[in-house]
Amino acid sequence: MGYLLLLIVLILEIGFAIYCMVTKQKHKKIKDWMRISVFIAFVILTLSSVIVWSFRWVIPAILLFISAVKGTVSLLRNKTNNKKYKTSSIVWKSIMTIFVFIFAFGPAIVFPQHKSPKVNGKYEVATATYTYIDKNRTEEFTDKEDHRSVNVEFWYPNKENETYPLLVFSHGAIGIKSSNTSTYTELASHGYVVVSIDHPYHSFYTVSEDGTRALINTDYNREVSNANKEGIYSKEETYELIQKWMKLRTEDMNFVIDTILTKVKTDKNPIYQHIDTEKIGVFGHSMGGAASVWLGRERNDIDAVVNIDAPFFSELVYNKLVDEFVARDEYFNTPLLNIYSDDVWGQLDSNSTYVANKPNNEQFKNAYNVHFKGAKHLSLTDLPLFSPILANILQGGKADIDKYYCIETANELILNFFDDKLKGIGHFTPEETY
């Protein structure tokens, strides 16, 4: 919709400029009526829900409103324009107008209006956000001696007097807690309480209950970027970085789970009273998936794990004698579903940080491995829907798979897996390739 509206505005502007140059007149009244008409059309499209109002339309709306007011005032004044016609003036004004409108429609183009993935459950979904303060940890990313704070958002069935399994999500290396909103919504609509964590200074940005904002830490961002390049870090240095990243991630996740378990006993907030603490699952994308597998090995109260496109960092051992990563030799007992894109699937037979993910790893012989052919790393999040341009830039190109098919099918697989392992509903038998 952003592209279409911008195109219409540009066609009108360029067409009018050409008309003025051909007739060698300014046609000011026609310009004024064009301004008013475009704004009225924008209002009608908004009121009729063709344009779904959101942040992306604020700047275009303001610009079109100012333009319409200017045109209205000009028509009411009906002042004769005695200025001599100049082609250069027409061309210059048209160029400036085009640049202004391109800027104004930028948010609507970068973050296009899109339909939401299907939600198939019977429950109405409610949300709530909180900030948990960990008084046992000091924030390592600031100079202040503040306690570590973790921001969380809940998606849960808006129905009283029932309890549901708890699912805890961790975002990717530079993600945000809303990265897989369609997944949380689908799960909650089927009777799960989903809590997604923002890991401050690991997330791209996060906002606490008191309004405090935290952007991604520049040193951490540089570490992640360099770790994905050849020759920057040795394998030993990479291993040390992984341990540091996972320590923060797993401590955050453990803290959130333990806080929720305590609040179920002590807090009368209906959200906590909806939770069945005997049924807990964890899942995450990329680095968050790695942290989820880690918790699946560490905690006895985790009943199921979904790993979305991540290496098994918890299973990775650095062998200094041969300077290689090797897989941990210990059986993984927690039910596990691995969902992979092409970006990761092609690395599973390598001796990189994915060495423990190899499908023939006997320590994970009961894990489910699913491959989305044609998908890229971010295809397994909502970002290609929310901002195709950003997704393509971050993942190095456009995915071949249909973005709605990919995320909706992945959501269905995750739901069916948790239904089987946490609720005992159905029998989870996925295909290997989708």
Side-chain angles (χ1 to χ4, degrees):
M1 182 58 70
Y3 280 114
L4 178 60
L5 291 179
L6 177 60
L7 181 62
I8 292 172
V9 170
L10 295 185
I11 289 173
L12 289 173
E13 182 62 33
I14 294 171
F16 180 76
I18 293 172
Y19 176 61
C20 289
M21 287 186 285
V22 169
T23 60
K24 297 188 180 303
Q25 295 182 48
K26 290 189 173 182
H27 299 291
K28 196 170 185 307
K29 285 189 176 182
I30 295 177
K31 181 72 170 181
D32 292 336
W33 280 112
M34 280 176 56
R35 289 170 172 169
I36 297 169
S37 299
V38 170
F39 176 70
I40 291 173
F42 181 84
V43 171
I44 292 172
L45 290 173
T46 303
L47 294 176
S48 61
S49 297
V50 174
I51 293 175
V52 179
W53 182 256
S54 67
F55 73 94
R56 60 178 63 85
W57 298 114
V58 172
I59 299 178
I62 293 173
L63 180 60
L64 291 174
F65 174 74
I66 292 173
S67 180
V69 170
K70 185 177 179 181
T72 302
V73 171
S74 176
L75 287 172
L76 291 175
R77 291 175 64 185
N78 198 25
K79 186 178 179 181
T80 303
N81 190 347
N82 296 319
K83 290 184 179 179
K84 187 177 179 181
Y85 166 82
K86 289 183 179 180
T87 299
S88 59
S89 176
I90 294 294
V91 172
W92 176 247
K93 286 182 179 180
S94 293
I95 291 173
M96 291 300 296
T97 301
I98 287 170
F99 275 111
V100 168
F101 273 104
I102 289 174
F103 170 78
F105 279 91
I109 292 172
V110 176
F111 305 102
Q113 185 174 302
H114 61 276
K115 67 176 183 179
S116 299
K118 295 176 184 176
V119 176
N120 300 304
K122 65 180 181 179
Y123 295 106
E124 178 187 349
V125 177
T127 63
T129 57
Y130 300 102
T131 298
Y132 295 156
I133 308 297
D134 188 350
K135 296 184 178 179
N136 294 319
R137 287 189 293 161
T138 302
E139 181 56 73
E140 63 185 76
F141 290 103
T142 63
D143 295 330
K144 302 176 183 179
E145 293 187 0
D146 295 330
H147 293 299
R148 173 75 174 170
S149 64
V150 181
N151 302 318
V152 300
E153 186 164 3
F154 285 87
W155 283 258
Y156 61 97
N158 192 16
K159 185 175 178 62
E160 297 180 357
N161 303 322
E162 290 188 32
T163 59
Y164 312 97
L166 173 67
L167 302 177
V168 181
F169 182 88
S170 176
H171 61 71
I174 56 173
I176 54 178
K177 65 178 183 290
S178 59
S179 66
N180 286 64
T181 296
S182 69
T183 314
Y184 321 144
T185 306
E186 175 68 353
L187 291 166
S189 76
H190 283 272
Y192 289 92
V193 174
V194 184
V195 57
S196 183
I197 302 171
D198 255 342
H199 301 276
Y201 304 102
H202 272 207
S203 58
F204 184 72
Y205 74 92
T206 184
V207 182
S208 299
E209 281 186 280
D210 63 3
T212 302
R213 284 170 162 70
L215 295 175
I216 188 170
N217 177 263
T218 53
D219 291 335
Y220 163 74
N221 190 30
R222 184 172 58 253
E223 290 170 358
V224 172
S225 177
N226 288 339
N228 290 318
K229 300 174 183 176
E230 293 289 340
I232 303 294
Y233 297 125
S234 67
K235 289 189 175 180
E236 184 173 12
E237 289 171 331
T238 299
Y239 184 75
E240 290 172 354
L241 286 173
I242 288 170
Q243 301 307 304
K244 181 177 71 170
W245 299 337
M246 287 294 99
K247 182 176 185 296
L248 180 95
R249 290 293 186 112
T250 55
E251 285 182 349
D252 281 353
M253 293 182 75
N254 279 318
F255 167 63
V256 168
I257 293 173
D258 292 339
T259 298
I260 291 172
L261 293 179
T262 299
K263 287 182 176 294
V264 169
K265 298 176 182 178
T266 61
D267 196 319
K268 298 303 181 183
N269 187 322
I271 292 177
Y272 303 120
Q273 300 311 308
H274 276 313
I275 296 172
D276 181 353
T277 58
E278 298 299 316
K279 298 175 182 178
I280 302 175
V282 292
F283 64 128
H285 175 257
S286 194
M287 194 179 289
S292 298
V293 174
W294 196 301
L295 254 68
R297 180 172 291 283
E298 279 192 344
R299 294 184 68 114
N300 294 324
D301 55 357
I302 302 298
D303 302 301
V305 179
V306 175
N307 165 39
I308 307 173
D309 232 26
F312 297 161
F313 283 156
S314 59
E315 314 307 306
L316 206 61
V317 178
Y318 172 66
N319 188 324
K320 192 170 185 178
L321 293 176
V322 296
D323 189 32
E324 288 286 357
F325 295 122
V326 296
R328 182 176 181 173
D329 188 19
E330 185 178 345
Y331 189 72
F332 190 88
N333 293 300
T334 309
L336 172 65
L337 167 63
N338 298 305
I339 301 177
Y340 296 121
S341 69
D342 282 355
D343 290 341
V344 171
W345 189 255
Q347 301 184 63
L348 296 189
D349 288 328
S350 70
N351 288 322
S352 65
T353 51
Y354 289 91
V355 65
N357 294 65
K358 291 184 176 183
N360 63 357
N361 186 345
E362 283 297 309
Q363 309 308 324
F364 288 85
K365 63 182 180 181
N366 290 323
Y368 303 93
N369 295 306
V370 170
H371 170 214
F372 278 83
K373 191 173 182 179
K376 296 186 77 67
H377 189 53
L378 294 173
S379 301
L380 298 167
T381 71
D382 290 346
L383 187 60
L385 310 179
F386 184 69
S387 180
I389 291 176
L390 284 181
N392 295 344
I393 291 172
L394 293 172
Q395 65 191 5
K398 184 179 179 181
D400 294 328
I401 196 170
D402 179 81
K403 55 190 177 183
Y404 282 96
Y405 167 79
C406 185
I407 195 65
E408 289 176 351
T409 305
N411 291 349
E412 183 181 2
L413 284 170
I414 294 169
L415 171 65
N416 292 341
F417 173 75
F418 281 133
D419 276 350
D420 182 8
K421 306 307 175 184
L422 299 183
K423 294 183 177 180
I425 299 174
H427 183 64
F428 187 64
T429 53
E431 299 176 19
E432 183 180 281
T433 304
Y434 288 87

